[in-house]
Amino acid sequence: AELVMVLMILGRMMSQSVVSAAQNKSKASTPRYLAIYGRKRRIRVLFLGRYWYACTHKELALRLGIPVFQPLKIRADGLEPLRALAPDVCVTAAFGQILSQEVLDVPRLGTVNVHASLLPRHRGAAPVQWALLSGDAVTGGTTMFTDRGIDTGDMLLRAETPILPDDTAGTLTDRLAKMGAELLIETLRRLEAGDCPREKQDETLATYDPKVD
């Protein structure tokens, strides 16, 4: 049986890795992620944050025949619709809402998130900016299981990229978004195959960085 997945995105930053940055080579230039998991109807429904910049993702999902739901609060008016879908896995990318334990308990395999740093370094809302401000030579992306903490869940897959001398937050975000797309696709493939690695984060190496104004 195919993996039943629910995708939750807000539309900013790393959500671009899910539905915008990793283009396939089809004539329609459908983003690869939705091409793989949308045309085969593996995405059962798309949950979107209630913001204007989610519109592009909504239009694309509807074009692929994927229903869209925009709950005001996922833990309130989104919980029962999510349960009714009985997903194997949920995927979040910059969803912008805190997931209650009730929400996290719905998918059989768990909820997967993609984060724009090499966890456990640079947890929080601005990993790209803090990698640059900290003078890091290398950064990357990490897929992980979401738990009740802030970017504290068990890690699944990671990918690295050097930070170039002329990188800005914009250029680095774009590169990490493309990497994140491929990393997330591979993570889902391996979860489906049952051979995805899982590693707890080393709390002695963890950093948490605040938002950058």
Side-chain angles (χ1 to χ4, degrees):
E2 289 186 336
L3 204 67
V4 176
M5 181 175 62
V6 169
L7 176 62
M8 304 179 190
I9 64 173
L10 179 61
R12 293 181 295 188
M13 202 171 157
M14 286 304 290
S15 65
Q16 300 300 319
S17 74
V18 181
V19 295
S20 297
Q23 300 289 333
N24 67 9
K25 302 302 181 180
S26 68
K27 183 177 180 181
S29 294
T30 304
R32 183 179 175 189
Y33 184 88
L34 281 183
I36 291 175
Y37 292 96
R39 289 177 182 173
K40 293 183 179 180
R41 297 300 184 267
R42 294 188 177 187
I43 296 179
R44 185 65 63 84
V45 67
L46 183 68
F47 280 69
L48 286 177
R50 300 174 66 86
Y51 295 89
W52 66 268
Y53 38 70
C55 291
T56 300
H57 309 321
K58 182 176 182 178
E59 292 171 1
L60 176 59
L62 293 176
R63 192 165 73 240
L64 292 171
I66 301 169
V68 175
F69 184 60
Q70 293 182 274
L72 184 63
K73 291 184 178 180
I74 183 68
R75 62 184 182 273
D77 55 328
L79 180 58
E80 290 309 315
L82 183 62
R83 283 175 172 161
L85 293 165
D88 294 307
V89 62
C90 290
V91 174
T92 60
F95 186 53
Q97 295 188 33
I98 295 174
L99 303 185
S100 67
Q101 191 61 51
E102 284 184 307
V103 172
L104 293 173
D105 288 342
V106 171
R108 178 177 62 86
L109 296 176
T111 297
V112 176
N113 184 37
V114 55
H115 186 74
S117 81
L118 295 173
L119 290 171
R121 187 166 174 79
H122 300 310
R123 293 172 176 171
V128 175
Q129 291 88 340
W130 280 104
L132 291 167
L133 291 171
S134 301
D136 293 359
V138 177
T139 188
T142 307
T143 54
M144 62 178 173
F145 280 121
T146 302
D147 62 14
R148 292 301 309 279
I150 299 177
D151 303 323
T152 57
D154 291 356
M155 298 180 295
L156 299 170
L157 300 181
R158 288 159 40 114
E160 296 184 358
T161 184
I163 297 179
L164 305 177
D166 58 349
D167 264 331
T168 64
T171 61
L172 189 54
T173 294
D174 287 345
R175 192 157 74 252
L176 289 172
K178 294 173 184 177
M179 289 178 56
E182 299 300 326
L183 197 63
L184 186 52
I185 291 168
E186 181 62 19
T187 298
L188 290 168
R189 284 175 176 157
R190 295 190 66 175
L191 280 174
E192 188 171 20
D195 65 355
C196 191
R198 180 171 183 165
E199 177 185 359
K200 289 192 175 298
Q201 296 189 37
D202 185 345
E203 292 297 323
T204 66
L205 301 177
T207 64
Y208 177 79
D209 302 317
K211 292 181 179 179
V212 176
D213 294 328

